[in-house]
Amino acid sequence: MNTSSLKAAKGKVLLVTSSVDSILLKDGANAVAGFYLNELTIPMEAVVAAVYDIVLATPRGNKPVLDRSSATAAHFDNSEEALQRALEFVEKYPAMQNPVTLQSVVENGLDEYIGVFVPGGHPPMVDLMQDPYLGEILEHFHNNAKPSAFLCHGPISIACSVRDAKAFRAALTEDNIAAAKKASEDWQYAGYRMTVFSNDEEHYAEKNVFGGHKAPFYVADALTIAGGKLEFAEGGIFKPHAVVDRELITGQNPPSAPELARLFVKALNEISARVEV
C-alpha cells in the first residue's frame, strides 16, 4: 500500500498534456507522436510520493496519447520493474483516467493549485504552445511565483504566454524570425534562464524518429527568439540537465526527468511550507 495515500494532501498540482497524437513536419509529412512515458511518470510519481494531489488537464479534455516508443526500460535505468510501474501509473492512477479541459481549470479558479507540470514528446509544439487557456494559467503561476516545471519539448508550452501565440508559431513554421520576434514582444519569461530539447537532439530525432523529415521548427531556437536565455548540457546529446530560474524549472531531455522531479518537488515543498506558516 502507498502510505502517502493515508495522509492529507499538501496541495494540488496541475499536470498539463497535449490533446494531439501527431505532428505536421516541415515538408507536410504527418508523424505519429505522444507524451514520453518517463517524462510524465518519473516527476508525477515523485509528486504523489511527496503527498500532493494531481489534476490532469488537456486542451480538449481527452486522455493524452502515449508515445509507445518511449515505453522501454532504457528510459528507466534498464529496470523492467520501473517500466511496468510507470505503465501502471498511466493506466490506473485515478487522475490519469479523468482529465479535464484547460478551460474548466481556468473557469473553476487557479488559487487551489500550487504547481504546474508539462512533460515532453513533440505534441506540445502543436497545441499547448498556442493554447489561450494555458496562457492564462501560466500568467497566474508567473504572477504568483508558483513552481512551473517543463521537460524536454514541454518548455515550448511557455510560448503560449507570448503576446500573439498563434502568430508566433506561424512565423516559426515560415522561418520568419522578424515576425516571430514581433509576436513575442514583452514575454513574461524574457530574460529567464531555461533549457529545452536542443537542436542537436532534434537533428537526432529527425533522423531516427521522423525518417529524415525535418521538424516544423526548433524549440530551442523558438525560445531564444522569444527572449529566453537557453542553457544546455555539456558533453554531447541526451545528457541530463535541468535549470531553475525563479518559479521556472526546465529539463532538457528524457534523461533529465529524475533531476527535474527532484527540483520540482523541492520547490513544491518550499511553497507548501510557506502556505502552512
Side-chain angles (χ1 to χ4, degrees):
M1 177 182 292
N2 182 356
T3 56
S4 65
S5 65
L6 303 177
K7 304 175 184 177
K10 294 186 290 187
K12 190 176 291 187
V13 171
L14 182 64
L15 166 61
V16 177
T17 63
S18 170
S19 279
V20 305
D21 59 5
S22 64
I23 182 171
L24 191 66
L25 303 177
K26 196 73 172 178
D27 60 2
N30 201 49
V32 174
F35 71 86
Y36 251 54
L37 182 63
N38 75 310
E39 294 178 16
L40 186 152
T41 59
I42 290 177
M44 290 300 94
E45 286 181 330
V47 165
V48 171
V51 201
Y52 293 95
D53 284 337
I54 296 171
V55 172
L56 170 62
T58 67
R60 298 199 301 261
N62 59 317
K63 292 177 67 173
V65 175
L66 170 65
D67 184 328
R68 299 303 305 184
S69 69
S70 70
T72 170
H75 288 304
F76 297 89
D77 291 329
N78 294 314
S79 169
E80 287 292 340
E81 180 182 355
L83 169 61
Q84 292 307 313
R85 186 171 65 247
L87 290 169
E88 183 174 348
F89 183 91
V90 169
E91 294 165 0
K92 296 183 179 180
Y93 191 75
M96 294 299 299
Q97 316 314 313
N98 298 286
V100 299
T101 65
L102 291 172
Q103 180 178 355
S104 70
V105 169
V106 172
E107 291 175 347
N108 291 329
L110 298 170
D111 289 340
E112 63 181 322
Y113 297 99
I114 68 167
V116 62
F117 171 65
V118 182
H122 284 86
M125 297 174 67
V126 180
D127 56 354
L128 293 185
M129 70 173 295
Q130 55 183 337
D131 188 280
Y133 294 107
L134 183 56
E136 291 187 49
I137 291 167
L138 296 188
E139 182 179 8
H140 169 87
F141 276 77
H142 171 72
N143 291 340
N144 291 278
K146 296 180 181 181
S148 307
F150 306 83
L151 182 57
C152 197
H153 287 83
I156 193 59
S157 302
I158 63 177
C160 68
S161 59
V162 301
R163 184 177 58 81
D164 189 338
K166 292 185 182 298
F168 179 65
R169 188 184 190 282
L172 293 172
T173 62
E174 296 164 2
D175 299 317
N176 189 334
I177 295 176
K181 287 184 175 179
K182 182 175 180 58
S184 59
E185 291 175 346
D186 302 318
W187 188 36
Q188 67 186 23
Y189 298 109
Y192 272 62
R193 295 168 48 246
M194 61 184 71
T195 191
V196 72
F197 204 64
S198 71
N199 287 357
D200 287 343
E201 288 165 338
E202 198 69 87
H203 294 156
Y204 177 93
E206 288 172 337
K207 179 180 179 180
N208 296 281
V209 178
F210 295 150
H213 298 280
K214 297 294 183 181
F217 58 89
Y218 295 113
V219 289
D221 291 345
L223 294 180
T224 299
I225 290 169
K229 303 299 183 183
L230 274 291
E231 302 177 3
F232 301 101
E234 298 179 356
I237 61 175
F238 299 110
K239 303 293 185 182
H241 186 61
V243 177
V244 179
D245 190 347
R246 289 157 277 186
E247 82 280 4
L248 185 65
I249 307 167
T250 49
Q252 181 176 329
N253 47 35
S256 304
E259 177 62 5
L260 181 129
R262 184 188 69 81
L263 293 169
F264 187 40
V265 169
K266 179 176 181 287
L268 292 174
N269 287 341
E270 289 172 352
I271 194 170
S272 176
R274 289 202 302 270
V275 170
E276 288 178 2
V277 171

